[in-house]
Amino acid sequence: QLQLVESGGGLVQPGGSLKLSCKASGFTLGYYAIGWFRQAPGKERGAVSCISSNDGTTTYADSVKGRFTISRDNAKNTVYLQMDSLKPEDTAVYYCAVVSPNGWKTVQTMCVVASAASWGQGTQVTVSS
């Protein structure tokens, strides 16, 4: 049922780093494009970064460009989000989901959540001094 499990969140100081993992449960992750999303308190869930299922094409929200890196290891059935130079505004619950891109280059076109996807529990990232 396209279930994914997120892990790797935690509490870090501004400027710190975290690496999040998104592991597929019960299906082959390599067949699908995957997106990372986040939701901060009082705000809507928004796309952070997505990666294609074939050539590894990636896209990032403007707010994280140059700081976050998405990657995948299909042998491990896992997608990663390396987060560097973290800022307090990065504080959110981070989710991953299968996406069905209707275009390329931007998170708006590439990070369209697949109809069969479902949200998991996410992993909390807190950036604070």
Side-chain angles (χ1 to χ4, degrees):
Q1 296 178 350
L2 303 184
Q3 294 182 348
L4 299 168
V5 179
E6 304 93 341
S7 63
L11 173 64
V12 297
Q13 295 185 359
S17 297
L18 285 172
K19 188 173 184 178
L20 307 184
S21 296
C22 171
K23 187 173 179 61
S25 177
F27 70 97
T28 301
L29 192 62
Y31 293 156
Y32 300 93
I34 302 295
W36 281 100
F37 302 79
R38 66 185 181 186
Q39 186 169 27
K43 297 183 179 179
E44 295 182 348
R45 180 180 285 135
V48 176
S49 179
C50 294
I51 186 167
S52 71
S53 62
N54 41 35
D55 62 357
T57 299
T58 61
T59 189
Y60 299 90
D62 288 342
S63 59
V64 306
K65 286 181 179 177
R67 300 188 298 118
F68 290 11
T69 303
I70 191 170
S71 62
R72 66 192 307 157
D73 186 340
N74 291 337
K76 296 182 178 180
N77 224 27
T78 303
V79 170
Y80 304 98
L81 185 67
Q82 176 67 47
M83 305 186 297
D84 299 318
S85 301
L86 284 163
K87 304 175 180 179
E89 51 263 45
D90 296 318
T91 296
V93 178
Y94 284 71
Y95 304 87
C96 59
V98 174
V99 296
S100 296
N102 60 16
W104 307 107
K105 299 191 298 183
T106 69
V107 292
Q108 182 177 357
T109 57
M110 194 169 172
C111 302
V112 179
V113 178
S115 60
S118 61
W119 300 108
Q121 296 300 306
T123 186
Q124 176 72 50
V125 172
T126 302
V127 185
S128 179
S129 299

mmCIF file of all heavy atoms in Angstrom, residues 12-61:
data_model
loop_
_atom_site.group_PDB
_atom_site.id
_atom_site.type_symbol
_atom_site.label_atom_id
_atom_site.label_comp_id
_atom_site.label_asym_id
_atom_site.label_seq_id
_atom_site.Cartn_x
_atom_site.Cartn_y
_atom_site.Cartn_z
ATOM 1 N N VAL A 12 18.590 19.624 16.977
ATOM 2 C CA VAL A 12 19.917 20.128 16.626
ATOM 3 C C VAL A 12 19.955 21.637 16.785
ATOM 4 O O VAL A 12 18.923 22.309 16.741
ATOM 5 C CB VAL A 12 20.333 19.749 15.194
ATOM 6 C CG1 VAL A 12 20.434 18.239 15.039
ATOM 7 C CG2 VAL A 12 19.349 20.322 14.186
ATOM 8 N N GLN A 13 21.156 22.163 16.957
ATOM 9 C CA GLN A 13 21.342 23.606 17.016
ATOM 10 C C GLN A 13 21.390 24.197 15.615
ATOM 11 O O GLN A 13 21.696 23.500 14.643
ATOM 12 C CB GLN A 13 22.628 23.941 17.764
ATOM 13 C CG GLN A 13 22.618 23.552 19.228
ATOM 14 C CD GLN A 13 23.859 24.013 19.963
ATOM 15 O OE1 GLN A 13 24.757 24.616 19.376
ATOM 16 N NE2 GLN A 13 23.921 23.743 21.252
ATOM 17 N N PRO A 14 21.069 25.479 15.479
ATOM 18 C CA PRO A 14 21.211 26.116 14.167
ATOM 19 C C PRO A 14 22.608 25.901 13.597
ATOM 20 O O PRO A 14 23.604 25.998 14.315
ATOM 21 C CB PRO A 14 20.946 27.586 14.463
ATOM 22 C CG PRO A 14 20.046 27.565 15.657
ATOM 23 C CD PRO A 14 20.525 26.398 16.489
ATOM 24 N N GLY A 15 22.658 25.602 12.301
ATOM 25 C CA GLY A 15 23.917 25.294 11.649
ATOM 26 C C GLY A 15 24.285 23.829 11.662
ATOM 27 O O GLY A 15 25.238 23.432 10.979
ATOM 28 N N GLY A 16 23.540 23.036 12.396
ATOM 29 C CA GLY A 16 23.808 21.619 12.484
ATOM 30 C C GLY A 16 23.264 20.842 11.303
ATOM 31 O O GLY A 16 22.690 21.403 10.369
ATOM 32 N N SER A 17 23.437 19.529 11.361
ATOM 33 C CA SER A 17 23.042 18.649 10.266
ATOM 34 C C SER A 17 22.269 17.445 10.778
ATOM 35 O O SER A 17 22.463 16.997 11.913
ATOM 36 C CB SER A 17 24.274 18.150 9.507
ATOM 37 O OG SER A 17 24.988 19.207 8.901
ATOM 38 N N LEU A 18 21.406 16.946 9.923
ATOM 39 C CA LEU A 18 20.699 15.697 10.149
ATOM 40 C C LEU A 18 20.551 14.988 8.813
ATOM 41 O O LEU A 18 20.497 15.637 7.765
ATOM 42 C CB LEU A 18 19.309 15.924 10.741
ATOM 43 C CG LEU A 18 19.187 16.318 12.208
ATOM 44 C CD1 LEU A 18 17.738 16.686 12.518
ATOM 45 C CD2 LEU A 18 19.654 15.191 13.112
ATOM 46 N N LYS A 19 20.466 13.670 8.858
ATOM 47 C CA LYS A 19 20.185 12.889 7.662
ATOM 48 C C LYS A 19 18.950 12.040 7.917
ATOM 49 O O LYS A 19 18.960 11.161 8.777
ATOM 50 C CB LYS A 19 21.369 11.995 7.291
ATOM 51 C CG LYS A 19 21.198 11.304 5.944
ATOM 52 C CD LYS A 19 22.458 10.554 5.524
ATOM 53 C CE LYS A 19 22.321 9.959 4.137
ATOM 54 N NZ LYS A 19 23.569 9.274 3.708
ATOM 55 N N LEU A 20 17.901 12.317 7.162
ATOM 56 C CA LEU A 20 16.658 11.586 7.286
ATOM 57 C C LEU A 20 16.638 10.409 6.325
ATOM 58 O O LEU A 20 17.211 10.468 5.239
ATOM 59 C CB LEU A 20 15.464 12.489 6.996
ATOM 60 C CG LEU A 20 15.373 13.791 7.788
ATOM 61 C CD1 LEU A 20 14.084 14.520 7.443
ATOM 62 C CD2 LEU A 20 15.475 13.533 9.285
ATOM 63 N N SER A 21 15.955 9.356 6.732
ATOM 64 C CA SER A 21 15.806 8.171 5.900
ATOM 65 C C SER A 21 14.336 7.883 5.664
ATOM 66 O O SER A 21 13.499 8.097 6.539
ATOM 67 C CB SER A 21 16.455 6.955 6.564
ATOM 68 O OG SER A 21 17.844 7.119 6.702
ATOM 69 N N CYS A 22 14.049 7.392 4.479
ATOM 70 C CA CYS A 22 12.692 7.012 4.084
ATOM 71 C C CYS A 22 12.784 5.618 3.495
ATOM 72 O O CYS A 22 13.333 5.439 2.407
ATOM 73 C CB CYS A 22 12.155 8.015 3.061
ATOM 74 S SG CYS A 22 10.598 7.562 2.279
ATOM 75 N N LYS A 23 12.270 4.639 4.211
ATOM 76 C CA LYS A 23 12.399 3.257 3.796
ATOM 77 C C LYS A 23 11.047 2.670 3.431
ATOM 78 O O LYS A 23 10.073 2.822 4.166
ATOM 79 C CB LYS A 23 13.038 2.426 4.910
ATOM 80 C CG LYS A 23 13.368 0.996 4.491
ATOM 81 C CD LYS A 23 14.154 0.283 5.562
ATOM 82 C CE LYS A 23 14.473 -1.146 5.162
ATOM 83 N NZ LYS A 23 15.306 -1.201 3.935
ATOM 84 N N ALA A 24 11.003 1.989 2.311
ATOM 85 C CA ALA A 24 9.764 1.370 1.857
ATOM 86 C C ALA A 24 9.451 0.127 2.669
ATOM 87 O O ALA A 24 10.348 -0.626 3.062
ATOM 88 C CB ALA A 24 9.857 1.012 0.382
ATOM 89 N N SER A 25 8.179 -0.070 2.901
ATOM 90 C CA SER A 25 7.698 -1.250 3.607
ATOM 91 C C SER A 25 6.766 -2.024 2.690
ATOM 92 O O SER A 25 5.654 -1.569 2.411
ATOM 93 C CB SER A 25 6.974 -0.848 4.891
ATOM 94 O OG SER A 25 6.450 -1.979 5.553
ATOM 95 N N GLY A 26 7.234 -3.166 2.194
ATOM 96 C CA GLY A 26 6.373 -4.032 1.421
ATOM 97 C C GLY A 26 6.297 -3.764 -0.066
ATOM 98 O O GLY A 26 5.460 -4.361 -0.749
ATOM 99 N N PHE A 27 7.134 -2.886 -0.591
ATOM 100 C CA PHE A 27 7.188 -2.675 -2.032
ATOM 101 C C PHE A 27 8.580 -2.210 -2.431
ATOM 102 O O PHE A 27 9.391 -1.829 -1.576
ATOM 103 C CB PHE A 27 6.104 -1.692 -2.507
ATOM 104 C CG PHE A 27 6.328 -0.268 -2.079
ATOM 105 C CD1 PHE A 27 6.932 0.638 -2.933
ATOM 106 C CD2 PHE A 27 5.920 0.168 -0.832
ATOM 107 C CE1 PHE A 27 7.125 1.957 -2.548
ATOM 108 C CE2 PHE A 27 6.112 1.485 -0.443
ATOM 109 C CZ PHE A 27 6.707 2.375 -1.303
ATOM 110 N N THR A 28 8.844 -2.231 -3.721
ATOM 111 C CA THR A 28 10.152 -1.869 -4.238
ATOM 112 C C THR A 28 10.206 -0.375 -4.497
ATOM 113 O O THR A 28 9.568 0.131 -5.422
ATOM 114 C CB THR A 28 10.457 -2.651 -5.522
ATOM 115 O OG1 THR A 28 10.405 -4.052 -5.248
ATOM 116 C CG2 THR A 28 11.839 -2.298 -6.048
ATOM 117 N N LEU A 29 10.981 0.315 -3.696
ATOM 118 C CA LEU A 29 11.031 1.771 -3.773
ATOM 119 C C LEU A 29 11.592 2.265 -5.096
ATOM 120 O O LEU A 29 11.225 3.343 -5.564
ATOM 121 C CB LEU A 29 11.859 2.306 -2.606
ATOM 122 C CG LEU A 29 11.799 3.800 -2.333
ATOM 123 C CD1 LEU A 29 10.381 4.223 -1.986
ATOM 124 C CD2 LEU A 29 12.755 4.158 -1.203
ATOM 125 N N GLY A 30 12.471 1.493 -5.700
ATOM 126 C CA GLY A 30 13.117 1.908 -6.936
ATOM 127 C C GLY A 30 12.182 2.127 -8.109
ATOM 128 O O GLY A 30 12.568 2.777 -9.084
ATOM 129 N N TYR A 31 10.975 1.633 -8.043
ATOM 130 C CA TYR A 31 10.000 1.820 -9.120
ATOM 131 C C TYR A 31 9.315 3.185 -9.069
ATOM 132 O O TYR A 31 8.593 3.538 -10.017
ATOM 133 C CB TYR A 31 8.918 0.740 -9.050
ATOM 134 C CG TYR A 31 9.386 -0.666 -9.341
ATOM 135 C CD1 TYR A 31 8.682 -1.758 -8.839
ATOM 136 C CD2 TYR A 31 10.501 -0.912 -10.122
ATOM 137 C CE1 TYR A 31 9.087 -3.054 -9.097
ATOM 138 C CE2 TYR A 31 10.915 -2.210 -10.384
ATOM 139 C CZ TYR A 31 10.202 -3.276 -9.874
ATOM 140 O OH TYR A 31 10.607 -4.565 -10.136
ATOM 141 N N TYR A 32 9.521 3.943 -8.019
ATOM 142 C CA TYR A 32 8.722 5.137 -7.789
ATOM 143 C C TYR A 32 9.569 6.378 -7.579
ATOM 144 O O TYR A 32 10.669 6.329 -7.026
ATOM 145 C CB TYR A 32 7.822 4.941 -6.561
ATOM 146 C CG TYR A 32 6.871 3.783 -6.687
ATOM 147 C CD1 TYR A 32 7.212 2.529 -6.202
ATOM 148 C CD2 TYR A 32 5.632 3.948 -7.291
ATOM 149 C CE1 TYR A 32 6.350 1.458 -6.323
ATOM 150 C CE2 TYR A 32 4.759 2.880 -7.422
ATOM 151 C CZ TYR A 32 5.125 1.638 -6.935
ATOM 152 O OH TYR A 32 4.250 0.582 -7.055
ATOM 153 N N ALA A 33 9.030 7.503 -8.004
ATOM 154 C CA ALA A 33 9.568 8.789 -7.593
ATOM 155 C C ALA A 33 9.133 9.056 -6.153
ATOM 156 O O ALA A 33 8.024 8.684 -5.753
ATOM 157 C CB ALA A 33 9.071 9.899 -8.516
ATOM 158 N N ILE A 34 10.005 9.690 -5.383
ATOM 159 C CA ILE A 34 9.764 9.902 -3.963
ATOM 160 C C ILE A 34 9.950 11.375 -3.619
ATOM 161 O O ILE A 34 10.857 12.032 -4.135
ATOM 162 C CB ILE A 34 10.707 9.047 -3.103
ATOM 163 C CG1 ILE A 34 10.532 7.555 -3.426
ATOM 164 C CG2 ILE A 34 10.476 9.307 -1.614
ATOM 165 C CD1 ILE A 34 9.163 7.003 -3.072
ATOM 166 N N GLY A 35 9.107 11.855 -2.735
ATOM 167 C CA GLY A 35 9.220 13.231 -2.285
ATOM 168 C C GLY A 35 9.317 13.338 -0.774
ATOM 169 O O GLY A 35 8.775 12.502 -0.038
ATOM 170 N N TRP A 36 10.030 14.373 -0.329
ATOM 171 C CA TRP A 36 10.062 14.759 1.075
ATOM 172 C C TRP A 36 9.191 15.994 1.256
ATOM 173 O O TRP A 36 9.272 16.943 0.461
ATOM 174 C CB TRP A 36 11.482 15.061 1.544
ATOM 175 C CG TRP A 36 12.312 13.850 1.840
ATOM 176 C CD1 TRP A 36 13.248 13.278 1.037
ATOM 177 C CD2 TRP A 36 12.287 13.075 3.041
ATOM 178 N NE1 TRP A 36 13.810 12.189 1.662
ATOM 179 C CE2 TRP A 36 13.235 12.041 2.894
ATOM 180 C CE3 TRP A 36 11.558 13.152 4.226
ATOM 181 C CZ2 TRP A 36 13.472 11.088 3.885
ATOM 182 C CZ3 TRP A 36 11.794 12.199 5.213
ATOM 183 C CH2 TRP A 36 12.738 11.185 5.033
ATOM 184 N N PHE A 37 8.393 15.989 2.304
ATOM 185 C CA PHE A 37 7.497 17.077 2.637
ATOM 186 C C PHE A 37 7.692 17.429 4.101
ATOM 187 O O PHE A 37 8.222 16.634 4.875
ATOM 188 C CB PHE A 37 6.037 16.672 2.382
ATOM 189 C CG PHE A 37 5.759 16.260 0.964
ATOM 190 C CD1 PHE A 37 6.110 15.000 0.512
ATOM 191 C CD2 PHE A 37 5.145 17.127 0.083
ATOM 192 C CE1 PHE A 37 5.863 14.606 -0.795
ATOM 193 C CE2 PHE A 37 4.882 16.762 -1.231
ATOM 194 C CZ PHE A 37 5.243 15.507 -1.668
ATOM 195 N N ARG A 38 7.253 18.605 4.484
ATOM 196 C CA ARG A 38 7.323 18.977 5.886
ATOM 197 C C ARG A 38 6.127 19.830 6.271
ATOM 198 O O ARG A 38 5.522 20.507 5.440
ATOM 199 C CB ARG A 38 8.624 19.714 6.211
ATOM 200 C CG ARG A 38 8.782 21.076 5.552
ATOM 201 C CD ARG A 38 10.171 21.640 5.850
ATOM 202 N NE ARG A 38 10.365 22.955 5.258
ATOM 203 C CZ ARG A 38 11.516 23.618 5.268
ATOM 204 N NH1 ARG A 38 12.590 23.079 5.848
ATOM 205 N NH2 ARG A 38 11.600 24.817 4.705
ATOM 206 N N GLN A 39 5.810 19.780 7.548
ATOM 207 C CA GLN A 39 4.703 20.555 8.069
ATOM 208 C C GLN A 39 5.102 21.120 9.426
ATOM 209 O O GLN A 39 5.353 20.377 10.369
ATOM 210 C CB GLN A 39 3.431 19.713 8.202
ATOM 211 C CG GLN A 39 2.212 20.509 8.603
ATOM 212 C CD GLN A 39 0.928 19.715 8.468
ATOM 213 O OE1 GLN A 39 0.931 18.491 8.559
ATOM 214 N NE2 GLN A 39 -0.171 20.413 8.255
ATOM 215 N N ALA A 40 5.159 22.432 9.501
ATOM 216 C CA ALA A 40 5.455 23.122 10.740
ATOM 217 C C ALA A 40 4.152 23.430 11.467
ATOM 218 O O ALA A 40 3.085 23.490 10.847
ATOM 219 C CB ALA A 40 6.220 24.405 10.453
ATOM 220 N N PRO A 41 4.216 23.648 12.781
ATOM 221 C CA PRO A 41 2.993 23.959 13.526
ATOM 222 C C PRO A 41 2.262 25.157 12.944
ATOM 223 O O PRO A 41 2.862 26.206 12.694
ATOM 224 C CB PRO A 41 3.513 24.253 14.933
ATOM 225 C CG PRO A 41 4.780 23.465 15.039
ATOM 226 C CD PRO A 41 5.385 23.550 13.659
ATOM 227 N N GLY A 42 0.968 25.002 12.720
ATOM 228 C CA GLY A 42 0.150 26.083 12.209
ATOM 229 C C GLY A 42 0.288 26.353 10.733
ATOM 230 O O GLY A 42 -0.297 27.319 10.231
ATOM 231 N N LYS A 43 1.050 25.535 10.027
ATOM 232 C CA LYS A 43 1.254 25.736 8.598
ATOM 233 C C LYS A 43 0.835 24.500 7.814
ATOM 234 O O LYS A 43 0.721 23.406 8.355
ATOM 235 C CB LYS A 43 2.719 26.059 8.304
ATOM 236 C CG LYS A 43 3.212 27.356 8.929
ATOM 237 C CD LYS A 43 4.637 27.649 8.528
ATOM 238 C CE LYS A 43 5.126 28.959 9.123
ATOM 239 N NZ LYS A 43 6.533 29.240 8.737
ATOM 240 N N GLU A 44 0.610 24.692 6.521
ATOM 241 C CA GLU A 44 0.245 23.592 5.649
ATOM 242 C C GLU A 44 1.461 22.758 5.294
ATOM 243 O O GLU A 44 2.594 23.251 5.281
ATOM 244 C CB GLU A 44 -0.412 24.114 4.369
ATOM 245 C CG GLU A 44 -1.733 24.822 4.578
ATOM 246 C CD GLU A 44 -2.359 25.273 3.285
ATOM 247 O OE1 GLU A 44 -1.669 25.243 2.243
ATOM 248 O OE2 GLU A 44 -3.539 25.649 3.304
ATOM 249 N N ARG A 45 1.218 21.497 4.995
ATOM 250 C CA ARG A 45 2.285 20.628 4.536
ATOM 251 C C ARG A 45 2.767 21.091 3.168
ATOM 252 O O ARG A 45 1.965 21.380 2.278
ATOM 253 C CB ARG A 45 1.782 19.182 4.471
ATOM 254 C CG ARG A 45 2.812 18.169 4.003
ATOM 255 C CD ARG A 45 2.189 16.777 3.975
ATOM 256 N NE ARG A 45 2.041 16.233 5.324
ATOM 257 C CZ ARG A 45 0.949 15.621 5.769
ATOM 258 N NH1 ARG A 45 -0.111 15.480 4.991
ATOM 259 N NH2 ARG A 45 0.920 15.139 7.006
ATOM 260 N N GLY A 46 4.068 21.154 2.987
ATOM 261 C CA GLY A 46 4.635 21.593 1.730
ATOM 262 C C GLY A 46 5.782 20.713 1.285
ATOM 263 O O GLY A 46 6.436 20.065 2.092
ATOM 264 N N ALA A 47 6.022 20.701 -0.013
ATOM 265 C CA ALA A 47 7.090 19.890 -0.584
ATOM 266 C C ALA A 47 8.450 20.507 -0.299
ATOM 267 O O ALA A 47 8.619 21.726 -0.359
ATOM 268 C CB ALA A 47 6.888 19.738 -2.083
ATOM 269 N N VAL A 48 9.406 19.653 -0.014
ATOM 270 C CA VAL A 48 10.782 20.058 0.241
ATOM 271 C C VAL A 48 11.698 19.673 -0.911
ATOM 272 O O VAL A 48 12.473 20.491 -1.410
ATOM 273 C CB VAL A 48 11.303 19.434 1.547
ATOM 274 C CG1 VAL A 48 12.773 19.771 1.762
ATOM 275 C CG2 VAL A 48 10.465 19.898 2.728
ATOM 276 N N SER A 49 11.610 18.414 -1.333
ATOM 277 C CA SER A 49 12.487 17.896 -2.370
ATOM 278 C C SER A 49 11.928 16.599 -2.909
ATOM 279 O O SER A 49 11.323 15.832 -2.171
ATOM 280 C CB SER A 49 13.889 17.664 -1.798
ATOM 281 O OG SER A 49 14.765 17.132 -2.770
ATOM 282 N N CYS A 50 12.162 16.338 -4.196
ATOM 283 C CA CYS A 50 11.714 15.097 -4.817
ATOM 284 C C CYS A 50 12.803 14.549 -5.723
ATOM 285 O O CYS A 50 13.642 15.290 -6.237
ATOM 286 C CB CYS A 50 10.426 15.298 -5.614
ATOM 287 S SG CYS A 50 8.995 15.722 -4.586
ATOM 288 N N ILE A 51 12.750 13.231 -5.930
ATOM 289 C CA ILE A 51 13.730 12.560 -6.769
ATOM 290 C C ILE A 51 13.012 11.562 -7.663
ATOM 291 O O ILE A 51 12.094 10.867 -7.229
ATOM 292 C CB ILE A 51 14.818 11.875 -5.903
ATOM 293 C CG1 ILE A 51 15.922 11.292 -6.776
ATOM 294 C CG2 ILE A 51 14.211 10.815 -4.987
ATOM 295 C CD1 ILE A 51 17.167 10.887 -5.985
ATOM 296 N N SER A 52 13.425 11.493 -8.918
ATOM 297 C CA SER A 52 12.766 10.631 -9.882
ATOM 298 C C SER A 52 13.118 9.174 -9.657
ATOM 299 O O SER A 52 14.046 8.831 -8.917
ATOM 300 C CB SER A 52 13.133 11.050 -11.305
ATOM 301 O OG SER A 52 14.481 10.728 -11.595
ATOM 302 N N SER A 53 12.389 8.303 -10.336
ATOM 303 C CA SER A 53 12.583 6.863 -10.192
ATOM 304 C C SER A 53 13.588 6.286 -11.172
ATOM 305 O O SER A 53 13.983 5.135 -11.029
ATOM 306 C CB SER A 53 11.247 6.133 -10.368
ATOM 307 O OG SER A 53 10.717 6.349 -11.659
ATOM 308 N N ASN A 54 13.998 7.044 -12.172
ATOM 309 C CA ASN A 54 14.851 6.495 -13.211
ATOM 310 C C ASN A 54 16.246 7.121 -13.248
ATOM 311 O O ASN A 54 17.234 6.470 -12.881
ATOM 312 C CB ASN A 54 14.184 6.613 -14.581
ATOM 313 C CG ASN A 54 13.461 7.936 -14.784
ATOM 314 O OD1 ASN A 54 13.906 8.974 -14.308
ATOM 315 N ND2 ASN A 54 12.343 7.885 -15.490
ATOM 316 N N ASP A 55 16.345 8.360 -13.671
ATOM 317 C CA ASP A 55 17.652 8.986 -13.843
ATOM 318 C C ASP A 55 18.106 9.785 -12.629
ATOM 319 O O ASP A 55 19.158 10.428 -12.676
ATOM 320 C CB ASP A 55 17.673 9.862 -15.089
ATOM 321 C CG ASP A 55 16.685 11.012 -15.037
ATOM 322 O OD1 ASP A 55 15.934 11.112 -14.057
ATOM 323 O OD2 ASP A 55 16.667 11.808 -15.996
ATOM 324 N N GLY A 56 17.341 9.768 -11.555
ATOM 325 C CA GLY A 56 17.741 10.467 -10.352
ATOM 326 C C GLY A 56 17.597 11.971 -10.408
ATOM 327 O O GLY A 56 18.245 12.681 -9.623
ATOM 328 N N THR A 57 16.765 12.474 -11.310
ATOM 329 C CA THR A 57 16.502 13.901 -11.375
ATOM 330 C C THR A 57 15.931 14.397 -10.048
ATOM 331 O O THR A 57 15.071 13.742 -9.457
ATOM 332 C CB THR A 57 15.521 14.214 -12.511
ATOM 333 O OG1 THR A 57 16.094 13.797 -13.756
ATOM 334 C CG2 THR A 57 15.217 15.703 -12.582
ATOM 335 N N THR A 58 16.406 15.542 -9.593
ATOM 336 C CA THR A 58 15.987 16.077 -8.308
ATOM 337 C C THR A 58 15.475 17.498 -8.445
ATOM 338 O O THR A 58 15.797 18.210 -9.399
ATOM 339 C CB THR A 58 17.140 16.070 -7.299
ATOM 340 O OG1 THR A 58 18.212 16.883 -7.792
ATOM 341 C CG2 THR A 58 17.659 14.654 -7.077
ATOM 342 N N THR A 59 14.684 17.902 -7.476
ATOM 343 C CA THR A 59 14.232 19.277 -7.383
ATOM 344 C C THR A 59 14.123 19.649 -5.917
ATOM 345 O O THR A 59 13.939 18.775 -5.053
ATOM 346 C CB THR A 59 12.888 19.479 -8.112
ATOM 347 O OG1 THR A 59 12.578 20.873 -8.168
ATOM 348 C CG2 THR A 59 11.762 18.747 -7.389
ATOM 349 N N TYR A 60 14.245 20.944 -5.624
ATOM 350 C CA TYR A 60 14.245 21.427 -4.259
ATOM 351 C C TYR A 60 13.414 22.691 -4.137
ATOM 352 O O TYR A 60 13.370 23.510 -5.064
ATOM 353 C CB TYR A 60 15.663 21.745 -3.786
ATOM 354 C CG TYR A 60 16.596 20.565 -3.796
ATOM 355 C CD1 TYR A 60 17.357 20.269 -4.918
ATOM 356 C CD2 TYR A 60 16.712 19.749 -2.674
ATOM 357 C CE1 TYR A 60 18.210 19.180 -4.926
ATOM 358 C CE2 TYR A 60 17.566 18.659 -2.679
ATOM 359 C CZ TYR A 60 18.314 18.378 -3.810
ATOM 360 O OH TYR A 60 19.160 17.293 -3.805
ATOM 361 N N ALA A 61 12.782 22.838 -2.986
ATOM 362 C CA ALA A 61 12.147 24.099 -2.674
ATOM 363 C C ALA A 61 13.216 25.177 -2.536
ATOM 364 O O ALA A 61 14.335 24.908 -2.088
ATOM 365 C CB ALA A 61 11.343 23.986 -1.380
#
